[in-house]
């Protein structure tokens, strides 16, 4: 980085490598490569310093389903550049723990970004430290961006995120709503990976059914969830400080929206 950094942006990754599916089974999971590196690279290109943090301080596992040029419009050069950035880039190879970032002080960060892949459904959505981080950025009105499955991490800002998630897995949506009565993002417009998009993953990658779909979960929490009419079309929703993208193909649009929000806040 140059000495003229525009500020630090926190990128919060997941440490999950498997996810519960119906039938008391588990499926392999991880973080999507393009959803992680496209926004991170855009932030660095705009002059921001990227700081990666995860619950346990280990680097996230990339979901093999995302490790292909197909997620970069079949551009082999773009895919290789992304892979090199993730494998060798300084920002991707000095992960912090969430706790260390909190203890050092969240005032050091101008924005926060959560990539997707299904992994956040496992750990980030029920992590109390994620909730602590989200509430800081909400109260400070600092840009908060989440992509694909990433917006499920917003559930960490419910009253009891572990209980909220357990209720969803048990199929008790009424109980889930009770645990989210004072949710930080109640009434916010947002998007997330749609139920019909999830079915493609269930059918072709997991070969199993999830316990709940993402719009169902955020709606139960109190969000106003908007998904595109056409699956896998880029779709970004901005409401106040919150910036959400629906699917992997929303990687470049959400990066653009996040950089614009950061610049707007700095010039306000």
């Amino acid at each position: 980085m140059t000495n003229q950094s525009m500020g630090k942006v926190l990128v919060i990754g997941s440490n999950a490598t498997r996810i519960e599916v119906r039938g008391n089974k588990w499926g392999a999971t991880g973080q999507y490569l393009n959803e992680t590196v496209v926004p991170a690279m855009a932030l660095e290109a705009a002059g921001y310093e990227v700081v990666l943090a995860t619950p346990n301080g280990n680097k996230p596992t990339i979901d093999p389903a995302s490790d292909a040029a197909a997620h970069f419009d079949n551009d082999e050069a773009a895919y290789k550049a992304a892979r090199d950035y993730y494998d060798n880039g300084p920002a991707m190879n000095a992960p912090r723990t969430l706790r260390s970032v909190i203890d050092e002080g969240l005032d050091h960060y101008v924005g926060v970004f959560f990539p997707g892949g299904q992994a956040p459904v496992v750990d980030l959505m029920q992590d109390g430290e994620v909730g602590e981080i989200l509430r800081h950025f909400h109260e400070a009105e600092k840009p908060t961006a989440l992509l694909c499955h990433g917006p499920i991490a917003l559930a960490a800002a419910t009253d009891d995120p572990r209980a909220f998630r357990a209720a969803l897995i048990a199929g008790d949506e009424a109980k889930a709503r009770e645990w989210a009565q004072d949710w930080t993002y109640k009434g916010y417009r947002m998007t997330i990976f749609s139920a019909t998009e999830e079915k493609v993953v269930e059918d072709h990658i997991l070969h199993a059914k999830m316990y709940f779909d993402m719009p169902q979960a955020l709606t139960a929490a109190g969000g106003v969830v908007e998904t595109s009419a056409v699956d896998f079309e880029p779709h970004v929703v901005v409401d106040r400080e919150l910036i959400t993208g629906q699917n992997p193909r929303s990687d470049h649009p959400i990066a653009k929206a996040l950089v614009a929000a950061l610049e707007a806040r700095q010039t306000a």
Side-chain angles (χ1 to χ4, degrees):
M1 294 300 301
T2 70
N3 292 327
Q4 298 170 343
S5 170
M6 300 288 287
K8 293 182 180 181
V9 176
L10 185 60
V11 174
I12 297 185
S14 167
N15 292 127
T17 58
R18 60 181 197 155
I19 187 168
E20 308 102 316
V21 291
R22 292 185 183 273
N24 293 317
K25 298 178 182 178
W26 293 83
T29 195
Q31 204 164 279
Y32 262 43
L33 177 64
N34 67 303
E35 296 177 21
T36 305
V37 304
V38 168
M41 292 171 76
L43 287 165
E44 288 194 354
Y48 294 91
E49 182 180 349
V50 169
V51 176
L52 175 64
T54 65
N56 68 18
N58 292 333
K59 189 175 178 179
T61 296
I62 293 298
D63 190 326
S66 73
D67 196 5
H71 288 283
F72 298 85
D73 292 327
N74 291 311
D75 183 335
E76 285 287 345
Y79 162 61
K80 288 178 180 176
R83 190 72 245 191
D84 181 65
Y85 177 83
Y86 192 76
D87 290 341
N88 304 307
M92 296 291 100
N93 288 283
R96 307 272 306 275
T97 63
L98 298 181
R99 176 44 55 192
S100 73
V101 166
I102 293 168
D103 289 347
E104 184 183 74
L106 295 171
D107 289 334
H108 293 297
Y109 298 91
V110 296
V112 63
F113 171 66
F114 291 74
Q118 290 178 311
V121 183
V122 181
D123 56 359
L124 300 186
M125 75 173 290
Q126 59 176 336
D127 191 297
E129 291 171 348
V130 171
E132 193 174 340
I133 290 166
L134 286 169
R135 281 186 282 270
H136 165 86
F137 281 87
H138 168 72
E139 290 164 9
E141 299 179 345
K142 292 190 281 191
T144 301
L146 312 94
L147 177 58
C148 197
H149 287 82
I152 199 64
L154 295 170
T158 55
D159 300 335
D160 187 333
R162 287 183 179 275
F164 175 77
R165 184 177 186 275
L168 290 172
I169 288 176
D172 192 343
E173 197 166 307
K175 180 60 70 174
R177 290 177 184 274
E178 286 181 27
W179 287 117
Q181 285 183 5
D182 299 315
W183 190 40
T184 302
Y185 301 97
K186 186 179 290 291
Y188 271 67
R189 293 171 50 246
M190 60 189 68
T191 191
I192 195 168
F193 203 60
S194 73
T196 47
E197 290 168 334
E198 196 78 78
K199 188 176 188 306
V200 175
V201 175
E202 291 173 332
D203 291 349
H204 299 286
I205 298 175
L206 283 177
H207 305 291
K209 293 287 185 184
M210 302 263 290
Y211 278 99
F212 57 88
D213 66 59
M214 303 304 105
Q216 170 197 4
L218 290 187
T219 299
V224 180
V225 180
E226 305 170 1
T227 55
S228 62
V230 179
D231 285 349
F232 298 104
E233 281 298 300
H235 182 56
V236 172
V237 174
V238 180
D239 187 354
R240 289 158 278 186
E241 84 277 7
L242 189 65
I243 306 163
T244 49
Q246 180 174 324
N247 48 40
R249 292 193 62 214
S250 304
D251 53 357
H252 287 282
I254 200 171
K256 184 178 180 180
L258 175 54
V259 169
L262 290 166
E263 290 176 351
R265 180 176 167 83
Q266 292 200 357
T267 58

